[in-house]
Amino acid sequence: MGLSTAFGESYTDNLIGTLLAIFGNLLVSVSLTIQKLSHVTLAGTNDPRAFYRTKTWWCGFVLACLGESANFTSYAFAPLCLVAPLNAVSILTSSILGFIFLREKLKAKEFAKHYGLSFLGCILTIVGTYLFVSFGPNSHEKLDAEHVVKHIVAWPVLLYMVRIVLFCLLLYFYKRLCYNYLVIILLLVALLGSVTGITVKAVSAMLVLTIEGSMQLKYPIFYAMFVCMCTSVVFQARFLSQACVLHDTSLIASVNYIISTFFAILAGAVFYDELNHEDILHISVFLLGTAICFLGAFLITRNRKRSKSFEPYVTMDMANGVPTIHNNRSAGQPDGSFSYGALVNNDNVAPAPLPVNLQHPPVSSLQCTGVPYTAHNKRPP
């Protein structure tokens, strides 16, 4: 009787946590779409902060706070292995909302050509979500301060020493050797994300127990977890923003989801022993559903249009010798001119040196800050 009651409570907690995670990801996707709509509406205005004064942007901000709060609370009820893959709901919802608000009048053949992969990715994401939610881990313990300490001092934590070494090596390659590969940056984000998942689950569970009447705020482990959570979130966001500057955002969305979810599942299985009480069949179908979600998320983001980078450039009319600054995007640069910005010389004329006050600093003064080496960093002749 006691075993069935415990199983029923665990099932109810999993259901609550799953619904909160799905609801939270839906709200976050809707909020980001609303805020982006506000930015697009005010595009071209002289005031870059004009959207702060619109009700649309603030409505999206409130929905984002509610969604993140629901996501945070879901970790207290459902296993980390079950909550982490549900971020696919956010990718799925963003794809559907983006198509609704930015839809084009296309024929059936053109629709299949432009959105066929995205449509297939949405179907795979839904199927994968159903599988890993249905066959995910059902056992879930109430994490109080004593249980958190027990998990910290257990032997599986030694495996995190390997992750620390891996993180330090990746950080050395990225910061000191300037290896700005997307995989390296997102591995840094994922390793920090696994720490974030562990600490968020502990903090969220102890806060829920405190609200229920079992005071957990008096234990030092709560504040240690809270500090680790805030630190990992800050550095995770910093690395992710650097990745968005250097690489395509649509590719980042899918690869980051895949790598971060993999490390989060590994963290839940190793640190909180969430898969120890499951049979091989449930674990296999759970992993299969997660892999299908990975494929679906990749296909959804694979078909997004990539924005073309543009730099203002200066052209010189060779007949009149008049420099012209081009600020607008154009299909191609005019013939009979050479461009300083694009480093293209169509006339086989050597570019004139820049004025002394506009020359770049010597190479010795340039420091590696994670920005890739480009022609703009060269010392002028």
Side-chain angles (χ1 to χ4, degrees):
M1 184 67 179
L3 183 62
S4 61
T5 303
F7 178 80
E9 291 179 356
S10 179
Y11 178 80
T12 303
D13 288 344
N14 282 7
L15 181 61
I16 293 174
T18 302
L19 293 177
L20 282 174
I22 294 175
F23 180 69
N25 284 299
L26 285 173
L27 282 182
V28 170
S29 298
V30 172
S31 67
L32 293 177
T33 303
I34 292 176
Q35 288 182 323
K36 184 175 182 180
L37 185 63
S38 175
H39 283 270
V40 171
T41 304
L42 297 175
T45 58
N46 295 328
D47 186 4
R49 300 175 180 265
F51 53 86
Y52 285 136
R53 296 188 291 270
T54 61
K55 295 180 181 179
T56 307
W57 190 88
W58 284 105
C59 177
F61 178 76
V62 172
L63 289 178
C65 293
L66 292 176
E68 293 299 343
S69 299
N71 283 332
F72 179 81
T73 310
S74 66
Y75 284 92
F77 294 95
L80 178 60
C81 292
L82 189 60
V83 174
L86 286 173
N87 289 327
V89 176
S90 179
I91 299 178
L92 175 64
T93 308
S94 298
S95 177
I96 295 175
L97 292 176
F99 174 75
I100 292 175
F101 286 101
L102 302 175
R103 64 182 182 274
E104 301 173 353
K105 295 181 180 179
L106 298 175
K107 297 180 181 179
K109 186 176 181 180
E110 294 177 345
F111 177 85
K113 179 180 179 181
H114 290 279
Y115 299 103
L117 287 179
S118 296
F119 185 72
L120 177 61
C122 291
I123 295 177
L124 290 176
T125 303
I126 294 174
V127 173
T129 302
Y130 172 78
L131 288 177
F132 75 70
V133 168
S134 301
F135 292 89
N138 289 320
S139 59
H140 179 61
E141 63 176 340
K142 294 285 186 180
L143 277 178
D144 54 9
E146 182 180 354
H147 284 84
V148 172
V149 173
K150 182 185 70 174
H151 285 295
I152 291 177
V153 299
W155 69 267
V157 180
L158 295 177
L159 296 177
Y160 267 84
M161 300 301 296
V162 179
R163 293 194 181 190
I164 293 175
V165 174
L166 177 60
F167 181 83
C168 293
L169 287 175
L170 292 173
L171 191 62
Y172 175 78
F173 289 140
Y174 176 57
K175 288 295 186 181
R176 302 296 297 177
L177 301 182
C178 296
Y179 287 176
N180 297 322
Y181 300 110
L182 179 62
V183 174
I184 291 181
I185 302 176
L186 293 186
L187 278 174
L188 291 170
V189 174
L191 289 171
L192 289 171
S194 64
V195 177
T196 303
I198 291 173
T199 53
V200 165
K201 183 172 179 59
V203 172
S204 177
M206 286 189 280
L207 283 176
V208 169
L209 289 177
T210 301
I211 295 174
E212 291 177 351
S214 177
M215 177 58 66
Q216 303 293 317
L217 303 184
K218 61 182 179 181
Y219 297 100
I221 189 62
F222 171 82
Y223 300 97
M225 285 291 185
F226 183 80
V227 171
C228 290
M229 178 187 69
C230 295
T231 305
S232 61
V233 166
V234 169
F235 283 98
Q236 187 180 359
R238 182 178 179 182
F239 284 124
L240 195 58
S241 64
Q242 292 174 3
C244 292
V245 172
L246 298 173
H247 301 279
D248 181 61
T249 54
S250 61
L251 182 61
I252 291 173
S254 59
V255 177
N256 180 56
Y257 167 72
I258 293 172
I259 300 178
S260 297
T261 303
F262 171 77
F263 278 101
I265 293 175
L266 193 61
V270 173
F271 193 88
Y272 289 119
D273 302 327
E274 293 177 346
L275 298 179
N276 284 4
H277 303 287
E278 305 298 324
D279 54 33
I280 299 298
L281 177 62
H282 279 75
I283 294 177
S284 300
V285 179
F286 168 75
L287 295 178
L288 175 63
T290 306
I292 294 175
C293 268
F294 289 168
L295 179 59
F298 178 77
L299 291 179
I300 289 174
T301 57
R302 179 72 174 176
N303 204 38
R304 291 182 181 175
K305 295 180 179 179
R306 299 180 181 180
S307 59
K308 297 180 180 179
S309 59
F310 172 73
E311 290 184 16
Y313 59 91
V314 179
T315 58
M316 180 73 73
D317 188 346
M318 300 308 297
N320 300 323
V322 179
T324 304
I325 298 177
H326 299 265
N327 291 321
N328 297 325
R329 184 188 304 274
S330 59
Q333 296 178 12
D335 295 331
S337 64
F338 62 81
S339 167
Y340 297 111
L343 298 180
V344 175
N345 188 349
N346 295 327
D347 296 320
N348 296 323
V349 179
L354 294 174
V356 177
N357 57 346
L358 295 179
Q359 289 185 357
H360 294 286
V363 176
S364 59
S365 64
L366 295 176
Q367 296 180 355
C368 178
T369 58
V371 179
Y373 178 78
T374 62
H376 299 284
N377 293 335
K378 281 188 177 180
R379 184 177 180 179

